[in-house]
Amino acid sequence: MNKEINQEMIEVSIPHRAEYVSLIRLTVASIANSMGFDIEDIEDIKVALSEACSNAIMHGGCDVGDNFLVQFMMEKASLTISVSDFGKGYDKNSIQEPKPGELNEGGLGIFIIKSLMDDVHIDTGSSQGTSIKMIKNLREES
Ligand SMILES: Nc1ncnc2c1ncn2[C@@H]1O[C@H](COP(=O)(O)OP(=O)(O)O)[C@@H](O)[C@H]1O
Ligand SMILES: [Mg+2]
């Protein structure tokens, strides 16, 4: 990102199909790399974004042709990624923290996202769909 610019945004509209997750992983790797994130952070961001996109594809689907949106907000010290679908939403209170020893294959995506990103906000409702916003801060150079 140009040093003179404080904020820049890229937005991508994606069909609800799993094959497009790899495209979005490549896109975010390129964006994060250009912002100066290290390899470890780039891997974390890719995993978190893949989980959010998988949720939009698997749970947030609606009519054919109705894409979901991924927005990348690049700032000097952070990358904020929003994944928004226009599906049926869900009840956030119904999602329970996984207990050690009771781990199932499913039901971990949101916890993985929260553990890998610095800040996560979810807005969801039956009339608005779901929007998950996740922020990763650039580490201070030492
Ligand atoms: N975008 C979404 N739209 C509707 N429901 C969602 C969405 N994202 C998550 N959910 C709900 O939250 C639950 C937990 O999501 P997650 O932690 O990723 O686990 P999993 O996807 O393996 O079920 C999902 O099973 C689904 O019911
Ligand atoms: Mg999931």
Side-chain angles (χ1 to χ4, degrees):
M1 202 170 116
N2 188 312
K3 298 257 180 300
E4 311 282 300
I5 301 169
N6 288 325
Q7 195 181 62
E8 270 185 324
M9 194 265 274
I10 295 174
E11 196 166 65
V12 189
S13 171
I14 304 160
H16 284 263
R17 290 207 283 134
E19 65 202 73
Y20 289 112
V21 175
S22 56
L23 180 148
I24 213 70
R25 287 170 67 92
L26 282 171
T27 306
V28 77
S30 163
I31 290 173
N33 183 51
S34 73
M35 289 178 67
F37 282 99
D38 62 25
I39 300 278
E40 209 176 299
D41 280 346
I42 293 173
E43 278 309 313
D44 288 352
I45 295 167
K46 280 164 72 181
V47 171
L49 181 54
S50 300
E51 288 295 334
C53 289
S54 298
N55 281 351
I57 291 165
M58 283 188 350
H59 310 298
C62 32
D63 298 335
V64 177
D66 222 350
N67 288 7
F68 68 98
L69 300 176
V70 181
Q71 186 190 83
F72 304 95
M73 181 62 78
M74 299 170 282
E75 287 171 278
K76 284 212 162 72
S78 66
L79 172 63
T80 301
I81 308 168
S82 302
V83 178
S84 306
D85 64 61
F86 307 96
K88 58 185 172 6
Y90 66 101
D91 177 9
K92 278 198 280 184
N93 297 323
S94 68
I95 309 293
Q96 308 220 326
E97 194 127 350
K99 296 192 186 80
E102 280 183 24
L103 295 183
N104 301 317
E105 285 230 354
L108 293 177
I110 289 168
F111 294 97
I112 291 171
I113 296 169
K114 286 184 173 163
S115 70
L116 295 178
M117 300 298 278
D118 292 317
D119 213 350
V120 178
H121 304 276
I122 301 175
D123 266 326
T124 180
S126 54
S127 55
Q128 75 199 57
T130 300
S131 180
I132 179 163
K133 188 178 187 182
M134 42 204 163
I135 302 169
K136 193 76 167 174
N137 299 316
L138 271 161
R139 292 169 211 248
E140 305 240 335
E141 281 171 43
S142 49

